[in-house]
Amino acid sequence: MQLSELAGRRVAVWGTGREGMAALAAIAAAGPASLVAVQDKATFLAARAWDGAVPLFEGEAMGPALEGVEVLVRSPGVGESNPWIQQLRRRGVSITGGTALWMADHARQTIGVTGSKGKSTTTTLISHLLTATGRPNELGGNIGIAVLSLPPAERYVLELSMYQCADLEDSPRVSVITSLFEEHLDWTRDGLPSQYYAHKLNIAMHGPEAVVYNAADPTLSAELAARPGLPLVPVHNWDEDGWIVRHGERLFPRDAFPLRGTHNTGNLCVALAALEAAGVDVVAERSALEEGLRSYAPLPHRLTPIADPSGVEFVDDSLSTAPQTTIHAIEAYAGRPLAVLVGGQDRGIDYTPLRDYLRDKAVPVTLIAIPDSGEHILDVVGDLPAVRREVAADLPAAVVRARELIPPGGVVLLSPAAPSYGRYDNYEARAKAFVAAVEASALGGA
């Protein structure tokens, strides 16, 4: 569905955040017969900021406002499990999102990146390297500017969440998938991993020229293999003897890319394959690519070191919200004395991958549990020979205990394997609390 198809129709936009506001502005310009904004819960922020150009109906007023609506444009957080979404589908209302409306007109100019993890790094890296090779582009989507607010451009690079992928009816010309494991099951209709996978992989189901994916991810490879006919571009790590290699040619040393970890080698290789699919000759342009890599600024809260005078390296990986990302973080610091702070909002996800990794690799590590799910994670990991288990009352207490246990040269890693909600507003607030705890504990130990 294109924006122009909303002309003369009765349309509602659900949500008053960044994407909702962008959708309202774009749809109003398309000339709908009627346009309203709705949300199921009244919020002080929306009421205070609302300018009245479009009627806003909140809470109980939302139901009557939706009577007769033909198209609902939902914001990303409004999931298939929502009773209103299910009711509107039964009534035959067309449900879409702002990203889907935009993509209908811009798919051929777009590299779209999704993945359970790694998508932000890969998206920003692709955009940065396109610029480094003289190809201007606009970065947006789930990171940066909402797509309906993007300016005209020759090419776009978008990070796409599962929520944004779910409503797509047009695939980006180059569809990129970094990883696939269970997340956000509460957004799906029935809470099933298969539904999450289907929403995520919808990015590739509507005519892309290339589907670039991390072939080292077994779940992702299996799910794509079960969807025949896709123009798949499988990517394995090209790291050989400390170099990134493509088509038998050494491109540049791995340390040109400032991000640690095998998983980031994978993200780099996927990004390079996406550039190739978009027409970049990575062998011929390797010098410009290497220069671009060396100037790439890592995103915050992803294995971000924190300065500390003790000789212990404190690392902020607050964005880690699943066991798989914590495994990647542990791998990045293997071989050094290591304490990992785990726990957060309990979403009921499966932590056996972390247990299996620690058991099979026999990685020496101290796990320090923080509320709310930390003790549950320790229970799942169980009593393993290489793993020391500790419980802390909160994040500051965990930092103090880690200082007691880890000698200079070691690492204290906040990689919680769980979301922050319940204790903190978001992962950024949790990271800020971690930094404050590191600083306070340093002063306390001086």
Side-chain angles (χ1 to χ4, degrees):
M1 181 184 295
Q2 296 173 304
L3 271 169
S4 59
E5 295 178 60
L6 299 181
R9 304 184 75 178
R10 297 185 297 277
V11 182
V13 172
W14 186 341
T16 57
R18 178 176 65 107
E19 297 214 16
M21 298 301 288
L24 286 166
I27 294 167
S34 64
L35 177 61
V36 298
V38 300
Q39 51 190 23
D40 52 349
K41 297 178 182 177
T43 65
F44 171 76
L45 199 59
R48 184 179 180 185
W50 205 253
D51 61 10
V54 175
L56 171 63
F57 299 91
E58 298 183 292
E60 294 181 359
M62 174 174 158
L66 289 174
E67 291 295 331
V69 162
E70 299 171 87
V71 180
L72 175 73
V73 180
R74 60 175 168 181
S75 294
V78 183
E80 290 296 309
S81 59
N82 189 291
W84 273 108
I85 293 295
Q86 297 179 23
Q87 182 184 133
L88 291 169
R89 287 202 186 280
R90 289 193 295 269
R91 283 165 42 184
V93 174
S94 296
I95 296 174
T96 188
T99 301
L101 292 171
W102 183 92
M103 195 69 73
D105 292 316
H106 299 90
R108 296 301 90 191
Q109 302 159 259
T110 302
I111 300 173
V113 183
T114 195
S116 299
K117 289 297 174 186
K119 58 185 178 292
S120 296
T121 294
T122 304
T123 304
T124 55
L125 185 57
I126 291 170
S127 175
H128 184 74
L129 293 179
L130 283 171
T131 301
T133 58
R135 296 169 173 86
N137 62 93
E138 288 292 333
L139 174 70
N142 195 52
I143 189 170
I145 302 172
V147 293
L148 285 170
S149 296
L150 286 169
E154 181 179 348
R155 60 183 65 82
Y156 300 91
V157 183
L158 304 183
E159 177 189 322
L160 299 175
S161 68
M162 178 267 287
Y163 316 130
Q164 294 163 322
C165 292
D167 292 323
L168 293 179
E169 296 177 331
D170 304 88
S171 292
R173 174 190 165 201
V174 180
S175 297
V176 181
I177 311 166
T178 61
S179 60
L180 192 65
F181 51 80
E182 294 178 21
E183 275 216 306
H184 307 303
L185 300 186
D186 55 345
W187 194 93
T188 67
R189 180 182 176 91
D190 302 309
L192 299 176
S194 60
Q195 293 173 338
Y196 167 75
Y197 296 158
H199 291 317
K200 198 75 167 169
L201 298 183
N202 191 50
I203 189 176
M205 302 309 295
H206 304 282
E209 288 184 12
V211 179
V212 178
Y213 72 100
N214 177 9
D217 184 318
T219 301
L220 176 56
S221 296
E223 290 292 326
L224 287 173
R227 293 163 168 81
L230 298 177
L232 298 179
V233 181
V235 179
H236 297 272
N237 286 359
W238 306 334
D239 187 11
E240 296 181 11
D241 299 325
W243 283 74
I244 300 299
V245 177
R246 182 60 169 164
H247 305 303
E249 295 276 350
R250 284 186 166 192
L251 301 184
F252 30 72
R254 170 61 177 85
D255 62 14
F257 186 40
L259 275 63
R260 299 181 64 117
T262 302
H263 64 296
N264 279 318
T265 303
N267 291 334
L268 168 58
C269 293
V270 167
L272 292 170
L275 291 173
E276 281 195 320
V280 178
D281 187 333
V282 300
V283 174
E285 301 189 55
R286 57 186 152 194
S287 295
L289 290 168
E290 180 177 353
E291 185 176 345
L293 280 179
R294 293 190 183 278
S295 65
Y296 175 77
L299 296 170
H301 315 307
R302 299 156 176 86
L303 298 183
T304 304
I306 299 166
D308 188 80
S310 67
V312 174
E313 184 173 1
F314 288 85
V315 179
D316 166 19
D317 194 38
S318 183
L319 194 64
S320 168
T321 58
Q324 290 84 355
T325 53
T326 298
I327 291 169
H328 291 157
I330 292 171
E331 286 178 333
Y333 293 95
R336 296 169 64 182
L338 177 62
V340 184
L341 282 51
V342 295
Q345 183 190 34
D346 191 347
R347 294 180 300 170
I349 62 174
D350 181 12
Y351 284 97
T352 57
L354 178 60
R355 178 202 65 196
D356 295 347
Y357 167 77
L358 294 173
R359 180 196 63 206
D360 297 343
K361 299 295 184 181
V363 179
V365 63
T366 297
L367 298 181
I368 304 179
I370 57 177
D372 292 315
S373 62
E375 291 191 63
H376 169 66
I377 295 171
L378 296 191
D379 288 342
V380 173
V381 168
D383 188 12
L384 299 177
V387 177
R388 175 174 183 158
R389 298 180 296 167
E390 298 268 339
V391 176
D394 54 25
L395 182 54
V399 170
V400 170
R401 182 60 177 147
R403 273 199 189 275
E404 296 170 350
L405 296 172
I406 300 302
V411 179
V412 176
L413 173 64
L414 173 66
S415 189
S420 58
Y421 306 117
R423 298 277 169 164
Y424 301 98
D425 289 341
N426 50 43
Y427 69 88
E428 292 153 320
R430 177 167 61 188
K432 186 176 180 180
F434 178 59
V435 172
V438 171
E439 293 173 348
S441 64
L443 291 173

